[in-house]
Amino acid sequence: MLKARYIRQSTQAQSNFRQLAKAHPDEKLFIDTISGSIPFNERPQGKLLINAVNNEEVNYVSFHAIDRAGRNTINVLQTLQFFYDKKVIVKIDNLGLESMIDGKANPVFNLITTILSELSSLEKSSLLERQAEGIIQARLRGVYKGRVKDTKDTPEETLSKHNRVVKVVKSNPRMSLRDLAKLATDRDKNYNVSPNTVKKVKEIMVNLVMI
């Protein structure tokens, strides 16, 4: 078995520790730092993995979750079909499923990955729609400031990067910045949050009428 593991993270600031947790010494790693909206076959490491498959250097590929393959349902299914046509087994770790059993397509794998791909695509579309609506309202009120001070990120990128903080703030709007930072921090995932980060996120959320 010629194994590979594909890992994707959106930004350098994010940790891929969770995706690496199940990596094995016999797996060749392909790691992209790129948006999930970019088609798999247009990503630098995605291209290298495809070439490795075409050259018969890989016949088993692992993903931590299906959204690592993409955020667009059609693109994800096309990618999975490519692997299937090449007789490459795909393993989705968090589902505990493989795409083929005894050389035949696993119908449970196909059903669940299709549903999860669609949910991931809808979640991304819904987030972008809410952000766009918030920006329009903020501009109408004259409070939209573009990129966040002291960062190179746009408000949308900041919210996406600190989605955990957004959820914590929404659930605990009256909690102090320090307590929110502690609650949002997840050391198991190497995600550390400072009160200053919470403050920046809250300011964006207020401007976009998210709280």
Side-chain angles (χ1 to χ4, degrees):
M1 195 72 73
L2 304 173
K3 296 182 178 181
R5 175 171 295 275
Y6 180 82
I7 293 171
R8 181 189 66 77
Q9 60 191 62
S10 298
T11 67
Q12 289 288 357
Q14 292 179 321
S15 169
N16 57 25
F17 176 78
R18 183 174 50 166
Q19 297 180 66
L20 281 169
K22 292 194 175 183
H24 295 89
D26 60 341
E27 292 178 332
K28 184 175 182 179
L29 297 180
F30 295 82
I31 305 175
D32 270 321
T33 300
I34 197 167
S35 168
S37 63
I38 304 300
F40 190 86
N41 61 0
E42 295 179 16
R43 305 174 189 174
Q45 292 294 306
K47 290 179 181 179
L48 290 179
L49 177 52
I50 288 173
N51 289 337
V53 169
N54 285 330
N55 292 332
E56 299 183 352
E57 298 170 2
V58 170
N59 58 19
Y60 190 103
V61 179
S62 295
F63 293 84
H64 171 69
I66 193 63
D67 63 357
R68 299 302 89 189
R71 291 282 190 175
N72 178 282
T73 306
I74 294 177
N75 180 246
V76 171
L77 295 182
Q78 288 174 337
T79 299
L80 293 177
Q81 185 63 47
F82 164 77
F83 288 130
Y84 178 74
D85 291 342
K86 292 292 183 176
K87 301 187 185 305
V88 173
I89 297 173
V90 174
K91 169 73 177 296
I92 307 298
D93 290 336
N94 70 341
L95 298 177
L97 291 174
E98 293 183 350
S99 60
M100 289 191 282
I101 299 176
D102 296 329
K104 296 182 180 181
N106 180 352
V108 175
F109 176 93
N110 291 340
L111 175 62
I112 293 179
T113 53
T114 298
I115 293 173
L116 290 179
S117 296
E118 184 64 21
L119 289 175
S120 178
S121 181
L122 288 172
E123 180 184 20
K124 183 66 174 179
S125 297
S126 178
L127 174 61
L128 293 175
E129 184 178 333
R130 291 196 304 271
Q131 289 178 347
E133 291 173 350
I135 289 172
I136 291 173
Q137 293 299 319
R139 282 176 172 157
L140 289 174
R141 301 195 325 273
V143 295
Y144 183 71
K145 300 177 182 178
R147 295 187 183 275
V148 182
K149 184 180 179 181
D150 299 327
T151 75
K152 296 182 180 180
D153 296 329
T154 64
E156 305 86 65
E157 290 169 338
T158 299
L159 292 180
S160 178
K161 183 185 298 184
H162 299 291
N163 186 49
R164 183 176 175 85
V165 176
V166 173
K167 292 179 179 178
V168 168
V169 170
K170 282 185 174 181
S171 301
N172 308 275
R174 299 182 183 280
M175 188 176 287
S176 70
L177 296 179
R178 186 179 298 277
D179 288 340
L180 286 169
K182 290 180 180 178
L183 190 59
T185 292
D186 189 337
R187 301 195 186 283
D188 290 339
K189 298 178 182 178
N190 199 28
Y191 179 69
N192 299 308
V193 181
S194 69
N196 191 45
T197 297
V198 175
K199 181 180 178 182
K200 289 179 181 179
V201 171
K202 284 193 72 173
E203 287 176 351
I204 295 173
M205 294 173 70
V206 169
N207 287 340
L208 299 185
V209 200
M210 295 178 66
I211 56 174

